[in-house]
Amino acid sequence: MADALYIGRLAPSPTGRYHLGNLSTALLAQLRALRSGGRLIYRLEDLDGPREAAGSAASIADDLRWLGIHWSEGPDRGGPHGPYIQSERLDRYAAAVAQLEGSGHLYRCTCSRKEIAEVLSAPHGSFPASLLYPGTCRARTEAGDEEPHALRFRAGGLVVVEDALAAPLVVDTAADPGDAIVRRRDGCFAYHLAVVVDDLAMGVSEVVRGRDLLSSTALHMQLAAALGQPYPATCHVPMIVDAISARLAKRDGALGRPELEAAGYTPALLRGAFACIWGFADRLDALSVEELAALWRDEPLRADALNLHPAMSRGPEALRLALSAR
Ligand code: GLU
Ligand code: ZN
């Protein structure tokens, strides 16, 4: 019997240009879909208005197309699961919040300190202990509608996250991330809520994303269960780190398409360079997306992080030389 159709997704936040690490994750999502005979949905995660960088939504879509990534549904193409822009899906999040509230999974929190910082720190990086919400409002019943309040999810309990690549992880959601905010006091829906609502509503069968979000998956599984639906499979891919082992971040002006193109990379050569970074190949060749998909190996992708070769930024010739010398 054929497998149910594989549906993956690309879920960029328009907070800046995509760098090599983002491109790596997106390309791996494409390979996963291709290898399973499935397809990708493109969803723009633009709920964090203040962090939005002008023009980045367009540049991300352009850069992904340039790299050979293809989606069958998205803001540019439409499709049966639209709209594909989170800020146009607020009614869905409101309905999910109403459902969770009705089933007793949420409570009102009137605490003012730290909560904004907590939501803004999502989705990347684990929560510093100092930001773990102490549960002050958990047992309160008197918070009225008129009082400004955030809505928190009653987390807690052990969840086992079984991932396609990462080792099984046991998470106590009481400690990580704790009672997460699903709707901020200013009415904005939080990443954790929106991402789960959308992955369920869009019929996503596997979530491919960076290893930095692995522990969030436990909360996402609990949210899905509270909404009465099974959570998709997950595939958390390694982070790309530079020579000093720092995670690449948009704000560091890390390598992006303009720098890579200027250094001489065509899309085919960049795909070949990814094959080297991921441990699929030990020499640099120009590769089509299909050729790259055929080289897939799980083993090197089980690492939490993969090193960016220092010669990478100097262009394909420098990378080729450095690879042949080792
Ligand atoms: N929008 C998130 C980001 O750009 C992705 C979240 C996810 O893949 O679950 O980092
Ligand atoms: Zn509170």
Side-chain angles (χ1 to χ4, degrees):
M1 203 178 79
D3 283 349
L5 183 63
Y6 179 103
I7 301 181
R9 50 44 156 204
L10 303 160
S13 299
T15 53
R17 242 204 131 96
Y18 256 18
H19 58 63
L20 204 74
N22 307 124
L23 294 174
S24 166
T25 300
L27 191 52
L28 286 167
Q30 172 72 84
L31 299 193
R32 245 357 234 181
L34 213 56
R35 287 169 50 79
S36 313
R39 56 198 184 76
L40 292 176
I41 293 178
Y42 188 111
R43 175 176 77 230
L44 188 67
E45 305 211 320
D46 65 341
L47 291 184
D48 205 351
R51 288 175 58 212
E52 188 154 341
S56 66
S59 81
I60 291 169
D62 271 0
D63 293 355
L64 294 180
R65 280 190 210 98
W66 173 80
L67 192 53
I69 295 173
H70 173 84
W71 49 95
S72 54
E73 299 174 37
D76 55 333
R77 325 172 53 99
H81 299 99
Y84 297 93
I85 299 183
Q86 286 194 325
S87 58
E88 297 173 9
R89 301 177 60 82
L90 302 183
D91 53 335
R92 272 84 166 175
Y93 312 136
V97 162
Q99 183 187 339
L100 292 172
E101 219 173 6
S103 52
H105 286 96
L106 305 185
Y107 64 90
R108 291 173 184 178
C109 170
T110 52
C111 303
S112 57
R113 60 194 172 87
K114 296 176 184 168
E115 57 182 332
I116 303 299
E118 174 182 325
V119 174
L120 288 183
S121 74
H124 293 286
S126 41
F127 290 74
S130 62
L131 287 179
L132 184 64
Y133 179 67
T136 324
C137 298
R138 240 182 190 245
R140 285 181 56 185
T141 47
E142 76 275 21
D145 260 338
E146 60 293 337
E147 211 176 335
H149 59 266
L151 288 173
R152 286 188 185 270
F153 179 69
R154 289 179 203 280
L158 296 184
V159 177
V160 182
V161 179
E162 307 251 27
D163 190 75
L165 292 171
L169 182 71
V170 181
V171 180
D172 180 0
T173 57
D176 187 4
D179 290 350
I181 288 179
V182 296
R183 197 186 71 199
R184 289 187 335 211
R185 66 165 55 217
D186 64 5
C188 282
F189 297 103
Y191 156 76
H192 293 300
L193 177 87
V195 76
V196 172
V197 168
D198 287 346
D199 284 335
L200 300 181
M202 293 179 174
V204 169
S205 62
E206 184 179 72
V207 170
V208 178
R209 59 186 172 194
R211 203 62 60 92
D212 56 336
L213 288 167
L214 181 62
S215 77
S216 298
T217 299
L219 170 69
H220 297 177
M221 289 167 71
Q222 285 192 332
L223 277 165
L227 288 165
Q229 292 189 58
Y231 189 72
T234 63
C235 176
H236 286 86
V237 301
M239 311 305 291
I240 307 289
V241 296
D242 70 13
I244 52 165
S245 243
R247 196 170 87 198
L248 302 179
K250 291 177 185 174
R251 61 177 177 277
D252 301 335
L255 281 180
R257 173 183 163 192
E259 295 79 14
L260 291 161
E261 266 193 300
Y265 288 97
T266 60
L269 282 171
L270 183 55
R271 289 189 291 262
F274 276 124
C276 300
I277 294 173
W278 296 331
F280 296 179
D282 50 20
R283 49 165 245 227
L284 180 62
D285 288 313
L287 295 173
S288 69
V289 180
E290 290 71 20
E291 287 167 333
L292 191 53
L295 296 177
W296 179 289
R297 290 170 56 218
D298 280 359
E299 212 37 51
L301 296 179
R302 295 195 190 286
D304 283 333
L306 292 171
N307 286 308
L308 188 58
H309 198 287
M312 176 90 200
S313 61
R314 298 201 303 273
E317 277 322 310
L319 181 59
R320 200 166 260 146
L321 264 173
L323 289 169
S324 65
R326 83 175 169 196

